[in-house]
Amino acid sequence: MRIRTTLATAAGVAALALVAAPPATIASGQAPTSGNAAHSAAQQAGERVDLGHDAAPAAAVKYGEPDAGEHPYVGLMIAYTWADANGDGVQTDDELRAGWRCSGTQIDEDTFLTAGHCTYGADAVAIWFAEDLRDVQAAREFVTFAGAIDQESEHAADAWSYEAVSHPEYDDALFYLHDVGVVDDVTLAPGVTFETYGQLPDQGYWDTQLATLKSDRDTYTTVGYGLQWSMPDSQGQGRLNQGEWIRLKAGGELIGYRQFAGGKANDAYVVLTSNAHTGGTCSGDSGGPTFVSGTSTVVAVTSFGMNTTCAGTSGLYRIDTADDLAWLGQFVD
């Protein structure tokens, strides 16, 4: 399943929603189950889980630890889609409604790197870079794009754009094959600056790592604003999740490189650990970066999880291939 998180609305109030998409089963090289149809069906059926403050046993964060200012250029993005409310054919900011959220990385002054399935279908994007966004989450001014970018509000976005672009070969039915996207022509709010940005990797980085002895391989840090944990339905009580909008980081170790059945040699994904020992990714982390530990080099973006409880391993889309670097290079100054 893709692990972007959908934002639904009910009675005019935005409710954060985890779409009930079928879990992915990739154990035998099978492609993950996903697609916008699953998201749309869940929204129409009203299937949503409040991720704000669900009742749950008290526990420490299972899948990560506070970023503590280490990656200030990693942000939370909300994608907006246009509904022509008055039928005049003119797109206005108040008609752009919050659709889903992901994570991502600012890689130069006006370019934000994320997953292709995060930019696909978006008419506008608002981005926040604060490490703790629980006040933004609670205020819910992000429901419309107009509200999100209103600089008179203390909850206003730090950046925004009307240009969300997925890889030219991106196919939503096969999202995992070209799952990279950018938010381009980003406008930064007054006073928002960066001392440094995320960096793109050298071509063939992952090939070198896979050819390296396990004991000599790099280690990784994955960053995002996704769920802190997710638990299955228990005795009819429904799913339990913790989904505060805070930036967390998690360690990871390279497990391998798995090929999708019937695909080309490069139709594969990088697999990192995702467990209580190393940490891992969950819904809402889609598009978030995986760094070589101790660096600002982004070597992959979070693409999908293997199950709805965010356990086991996570699938990363590598961005070190020639075609991806050539495409991304068009946007980076």
Side-chain angles (χ1 to χ4, degrees), residues 12 22 30 101 111 118 147 150 241 250 265 302 304-305 307 310 332:
Q30 181 178 345
R101 68 180 175 93
T111 310
C118 293
D150 179 6
N241 308 279
T302 299
F304 56 85
N307 51 61
C310 307
V332 181

Side-chain angles (χ1 to χ4, degrees), residues 91-131:
Q91 178 178 299
T92 59
D93 289 348
D94 61 331
E95 292 179 325
L96 288 164
R97 307 289 292 184
W100 57 89
R101 68 180 175 93
C102 288
S103 302
T105 311
Q106 196 77 9
I107 54 175
D108 71 7
E109 185 175 358
D110 66 352
T111 310
F112 185 78
L113 170 68
T114 186
H117 72 263
C118 293
T119 50
Y120 182 77
D123 295 308
V125 171
I127 307 167
W128 290 258
F129 291 100
E131 188 163 333

Side-chain angles (χ1 to χ4, degrees), residues 133-152:
L133 291 170
R134 286 176 289 189
D135 58 339
V136 175
Q137 182 181 12
R140 301 191 184 282
E141 295 174 8
F142 57 80
V143 177
T144 67
F145 192 61
I149 67 175
D150 179 6
Q151 295 301 298
E152 297 297 318

Side-chain angles (χ1 to χ4, degrees), residues 60-110:
V61 173
K62 179 178 180 182
Y63 286 108
E65 60 186 41
D67 188 51
E70 188 174 342
H71 305 94
Y73 40 81
V74 174
L76 177 148
M77 63 164 275
I78 294 181
Y80 293 80
T81 57
W82 177 41
D84 190 5
N86 56 17
D88 64 358
V90 178
Q91 178 178 299
T92 59
D93 289 348
D94 61 331
E95 292 179 325
L96 288 164
R97 307 289 292 184
W100 57 89
R101 68 180 175 93
C102 288
S103 302
T105 311
Q106 196 77 9
I107 54 175
D108 71 7
E109 185 175 358
D110 66 352

